[in-house]
Amino acid sequence: MKAISLAEPAARETPGVVRARHPHFSASALNAYAECERKWFYRYVCAAVEDPGSAASTYGTAFHLALERFHDRHHRPQPGDTSAMQRDLAHEIEAAFAENRSGFPTAVEFEMQRRRALRTARRYVSWLAAEAARAPFTVIGREVPAQLDLEGFAFIGFIDRLDRDERSGTVSVVDYKTGKIAESAQEYRELVREFGDFQLAFYYWVRTAAGDRVQRLVLLPLKDALLDVRPVSLEVGESITVAELERAKRRMVEICTLLTSKEPRSFGVTEDPGACEYCAYTFACAKRPPPDGERFGR
Ligand code: SF4
């Protein structure tokens, strides 16, 4: 039998510089970086795999589209219009889900998500009517482009909705959320303070630069059809300070500086297995943390 001779190991490559490929940044890209540096590297540097999306992400896309169209007609919600608003939003949900049918892997999944959206939409309208009775407001923007230059770093994004309070003239920035979010204003504030989320801070600075008096930052949960809609709402100056929003802005600039520097660096994996649950790169990521339940089994 012929002897097998092992090849010499390949020489280790000299570490090279990895830099952000895109000329612009977004708050969601920095959120991905804060959640897991390796995820940011796979998604924004390598474009390692094309994320095919999921029923959950298509649910979000369709719901956002339905609300954008709905508020085109109902830009000044009235408590007495509840029935008309229920009818119109149900119509927009049906249309938006039909347009996004191909994003649902099966007919059953499509039907389940469509029904979930219709039930959630009813709760949304109930909340909208109550909110309009409490403090009348006008929807002044839907899917508003958000662009801002932060110390030479160009940021872009879209704001789901902007409302103007009719009594005070102040503006609320509203972000629709169809996935997991902080459960309270306090929890979201902590996330901002720990630099785990930059989205609402970014929108605050975009609209402040545009001349708005931004008073409220709102996360609007649209995930659970069995629960009433209860927004996570932060009053600027009370539940979150301008200084905290300023710190978040400064941290955004620091991260951008790091990501565009010429220093070689590695991108570590997260320690939180929850971040890996829906990550598109789990198959490629050998160093991901084990799921919580398996930690003692390894
Ligand atoms: S699988 Fe987990 S550790 Fe790996 S890139 Fe995704 S989030 Fe990060």
Side-chain angles (χ1 to χ4, degrees), residues 36 38-39 42 269-270 275-276 279 281-282 285 287-289:
C36 174
R38 185 73 53 94
K39 185 190 279 190
Y42 282 144
V269 295
T270 178
C276 310
C279 178
Y281 310 106
T282 43
C285 186
K287 292 197 173 164
R288 68 182 184 276

